[in-house]
Amino acid sequence: MSSFYVDLISAISENVEDTLMTDLKLKDRVAVVTGGSRGIGKGICLAYAQEGAHIIFSYASNQKAAEQTAEEVKALGVKCIAIQADAGQESDFVRMQEVARKEFDKINILVANAGTIGKELPVKDMPVEEWDHLISIDLRGVFLAAKYFIPLMATDPVGKIINITSELSKKGRANYAHYCAAKGGINGLTRSLALELVPGILVNAIAPGPIETDMILADMEPEWIEKEKDIPMQRLGTVEEIAATAVLLASDGGNFYCGQILSPNGGAVFF
Ligand code: NAP
């Protein structure tokens, strides 16, 4: 083959590669995801990495799962840092913020996802400690994430904060008043923060329906899981279906969402 054709083919393939790279929706953006080692958080880390974002994620205690997730994220060709940091501990956010500042200086996306469903108890039997523990992780943790990462957020391109709430914030559930109250609190926090930070940073939330994660599959009785499927779509959702909404909000395609609560929930709630 003549050198003309060799040069031509090489120019075309470089071009295709460049086009593929620039097509990535989050190329070289930096995303912080709390509770990113398993479940929905892991799905979001992988989906963002697939779109070219570097990832910092936190986890509570499962180091093995965190290492596995970090490997999977790095295999997609981006940087990834896993940090043990409890969403209920302010000092852990201080430490996590320091790592993010040192490694990346600025971040572009914050996903406040870490959460736990807590114990199934009627309010009259719920120890105050159980209430405080859940609120501290599921609601205070979202406030702390915003408090410590807003100062690091770049505003060009527009910064994105995505809080993970729940369909149960809208419809409530008997014996999970603490979880529903925390998630309802996230909705109010999301709207208020959206008004505080627009237009430099856009704040929205995702309220998933029942999703196939350990929170449901490992922690609940089989009858409870069957009851969870009793929604119009008659099945649990997947982490990929939630991650797709998280990619939309984080990418430029989500630049007109402000203070919204998006509901990938299989029709479980209509408002
Ligand atoms: P999951 O499978 O149980 O995973 C939870 C993740 O959060 C893990 O990475 C875990 O780390 C981390 N985490 C738990 N407690 C933490 C803490 N105190 N500090 C820091 N990280 C912590 O849960 P999931 O189902 O993916 O839920 C993720 C979010 O979606 C939660 O906010 C949940 O309320 C919400 N959500 C879930 C569903 C559902 O049906 N699954 C529906 C609606 C909303 P370790 O691995 O170290 O434990």
Side-chain angles (χ1 to χ4, degrees):
M1 203 185 307
S2 79
S3 73
F4 169 78
Y5 285 112
V6 172
D7 288 350
L8 184 66
I9 289 167
S10 134
I12 289 171
S13 62
E14 262 171 40
N15 224 325
V16 168
E17 215 166 87
D18 280 355
T19 310
L20 287 175
M21 294 294 279
T22 49
D23 272 357
L24 294 178
K25 294 189 179 93
L26 302 174
K27 186 166 162 43
D28 284 336
R29 298 193 193 172
V30 177
V32 170
V33 180
T34 66
S37 54
R38 293 185 292 117
I40 291 170
K42 175 176 180 174
I44 293 173
C45 289
L46 289 170
Y48 283 0
Q50 221 141 22
E51 292 296 345
H54 305 295
I55 309 289
I56 301 176
F57 73 80
S58 65
Y59 64 98
S61 58
N62 190 334
Q63 193 180 341
K64 209 167 152 211
E67 284 169 1
Q68 168 72 26
T69 298
E71 285 313 309
E72 289 177 38
V73 170
K74 282 183 202 159
L76 294 167
V78 297
K79 294 181 194 158
C80 180
I81 300 171
I83 304 174
Q84 189 288 320
D86 193 314
Q89 292 292 336
E90 184 178 6
S91 55
D92 285 8
F93 278 101
V94 173
R95 191 164 44 81
M96 202 171 158
Q97 188 209 50
E98 264 320 296
V99 174
R101 190 195 301 278
K102 212 169 126 209
E103 295 292 330
F104 295 104
D105 193 32
K106 290 277 173 202
I107 72 158
N108 305 99
I109 303 157
L110 167 66
V111 182
N113 162 77
T116 172
I117 194 161
K119 295 196 178 107
E120 182 174 10
L121 288 166
V123 167
K124 70 180 176 48
D125 298 332
M126 188 176 290
V128 173
E129 294 74 23
E130 168 66 12
W131 174 275
D132 286 347
H133 177 68
L134 189 129
I135 297 291
S136 142
I137 294 167
D138 286 22
L139 179 56
R140 190 166 171 271
V142 176
F143 155 74
L144 288 172
K147 177 174 170 55
Y148 282 95
F149 284 104
I150 288 168
L152 287 196
M153 287 201 94
T155 52
D156 183 17
V158 63
K160 300 290 178 73
I161 296 180
I162 298 157
N163 296 326
I164 306 299
T165 172
S166 167
E167 51 149 356
L168 297 183
S169 67
K170 301 177 182 187
K171 62 181 196 183
R173 169 158 295 170
N175 303 329
Y176 283 98
H178 49 356
Y179 182 77
C180 298
K183 295 299 186 182
I186 293 176
N187 298 352
L189 173 61
T190 298
R191 295 185 183 112
S192 306
L193 208 51
L195 295 173
E196 270 180 37
L197 299 177
V198 69
I201 299 172
L202 299 176
V203 186
N204 293 284
I206 301 175
I211 307 301
E212 284 171 350
T213 68
D214 290 347
M215 184 176 276
I216 288 191
L217 299 180
D219 300 343
M220 300 297 178
E221 300 298 324
E223 307 80 58
W224 204 91
I225 297 172
E226 277 316 301
K227 229 169 75 191
E228 286 294 281
K229 292 184 190 163
D230 189 18
I231 60 175
M233 286 186 67
Q234 294 287 307
R235 67 170 175 87
L236 301 180
T238 65
V239 295
E240 289 77 14
E241 286 168 324
I242 305 307
T245 306
V247 170
L248 168 70
L249 287 174
S251 64
D252 295 346
N255 284 359
F256 204 49
Y257 288 94
C258 175
Q260 302 303 306
I261 298 166
L262 273 66
S263 303
N265 66 16
V269 195
F270 281 180
F271 61 94

